[in-house]
Amino acid sequence: DRIFSESPVLIATHCEQEETIKANMAEYTEKYGAEIPFEMHYRIRSKEACIECTKRALELAVEHGTKLHILHISTAEEIELIKEAREKNPQILGEVCVHYMWFNSNDYPKYGSHMKCNPAIKTEDDMLAIRKAVKEGTISVVATDHAPHSAEEKAKGLSGSAFGIVGIETAFPVLYTHLVKPGIIPLEKLIALLTVNPRERFGIPMGQDYTVWNLNTEFTVDPKDFISMGKATPFTGWKLNGECMLTICDGSVVYKK
């Protein structure tokens, strides 16, 4: 309560209720032992754990007029809660990640640890609600939550594998191919979602940072081609448009195709 009432800066929160997660983990460990199936991940790090924590953060932000940013939203219910809270405090915003828009709980048997992240990827209904929120503007920031873990770190089962998905190199191509090309959102909106809006939200100067893309190039996602040390992605094999040709950071060329 004190943090929300006294903070002079934006508060960014990862909303999951640890007590709920610990209780769920104990329940599923008792049921399955050490070999908990990956498809139980979203039941352990459950919707309830996210919803209750987000609800509390929003209540405090509304009460104190706090500038609040809810990170990597994974449920339909959180989107509705944010919508309602914004009517009372427009300084509240939320963001989603690319993987929450294209995968759901039905995909765990196929992708296993490559879609193990926090918060957990939830149901198909949640996935569709997140896409809708981005299209309609309820959500104005899309992030990657990029987590470049090694193959070894991601090969230890549900209980032992590291949390996180690599996403920097696939984010723009996935969203361009599946949102812009079909006419769901314009390219200008995608650029705002990934760059302009988060920069303005967190007060980051524009600087001399640019990326050049060839939107006509089609390629197949292969983690072996990633510059990132992390290779754990559920997007392997996807055919996408949009190839990064040049990256300039602080005025210097740091990558060139």
Side-chain angles (χ1 to χ4, degrees):
D1 192 79
R2 183 178 61 82
I3 293 172
F4 278 78
S5 64
E6 298 179 4
S7 176
V9 296
L10 177 147
I11 296 175
T13 57
H14 173 124
C15 288
E16 287 188 282
Q17 196 174 62
E18 283 298 320
E19 295 84 357
T20 301
I21 293 168
K22 286 177 182 176
N24 292 341
M25 188 65 180
E27 177 186 341
Y28 283 94
T29 299
E30 183 177 352
K31 183 175 181 179
Y32 292 103
E35 300 299 322
I36 303 173
F38 277 104
E39 52 264 41
M40 296 299 108
H41 182 51
Y42 83 104
R43 297 184 183 277
I44 294 169
R45 303 192 79 95
S46 63
K47 287 174 69 104
E48 292 74 22
C50 295
I51 294 163
E52 289 308 310
C53 192
T54 294
K55 188 183 296 183
R56 178 58 178 153
L58 292 172
E59 287 171 353
L60 288 168
V62 168
E63 179 182 350
H64 298 291
T66 313
K67 192 175 184 181
L68 175 66
H69 191 84
I70 305 286
L71 300 164
H72 26 65
I73 295 159
S74 62
T75 72
E77 288 86 349
E78 288 172 287
I79 290 167
E80 292 306 311
L81 288 170
I82 288 170
K83 251 193 225 179
E84 294 170 12
R86 278 182 52 77
E87 293 177 3
K88 301 171 184 175
N89 179 359
Q91 294 192 98
I92 294 169
L93 285 178
E95 73 174 41
V96 300
C97 298
V98 180
H99 41 274
Y100 297 119
M101 298 172 67
W102 303 107
F103 297 98
N104 62 71
S105 55
N106 297 320
D107 298 315
Y108 281 109
K110 181 177 180 180
Y111 297 108
S113 67
H114 284 197
M115 59 178 281
K116 179 191 174 187
C117 59
N118 294 342
I121 292 169
K122 305 295 196 301
T123 67
E124 184 176 8
D125 286 343
D126 294 307
M127 177 189 74
L128 295 174
I130 289 167
R131 282 192 211 168
K132 182 181 179 185
V134 169
K135 178 185 176 182
E136 294 181 348
T138 304
I139 297 297
S140 57
V141 174
V142 176
T144 66
D145 202 18
H146 180 75
H149 295 294
S150 68
E152 292 75 22
E153 290 174 312
K154 295 292 282 183
K156 300 177 181 178
L158 177 60
S159 301
S161 294
F163 294 101
I165 295 171
V166 292
I168 285 180
E169 293 173 70
T170 52
F172 179 83
V174 166
L175 298 178
Y176 175 75
T177 303
H178 293 280
L179 291 181
V180 176
K181 283 197 73 181
I184 296 170
I185 64 172
L187 178 59
E188 292 78 9
K189 180 169 182 174
L190 176 56
I191 293 170
L193 287 165
L194 289 171
T195 64
V196 178
N197 295 347
R199 179 170 54 79
E200 291 178 351
R201 180 65 166 159
F202 289 92
I204 302 169
M206 178 64 180
Q208 292 180 296
D209 303 325
Y210 306 97
T211 307
V212 178
W213 297 84
N214 184 340
L215 301 181
N216 297 318
T217 302
E218 182 180 87
F219 68 98
T220 301
V221 177
D222 186 341
K224 294 199 297 292
D225 299 330
F226 288 173
I227 304 300
S228 172
M229 294 177 67
K231 312 296 181 186
T233 174
F235 289 107
T236 299
W238 282 42
K239 292 189 182 301
L240 302 173
N241 286 96
E243 184 177 26
C244 181
M245 306 303 292
L246 180 72
T247 301
I248 298 171
C249 182
D250 199 22
S252 299
V253 175
V254 295
Y255 172 79
K256 188 174 182 180
K257 181 73 174 178

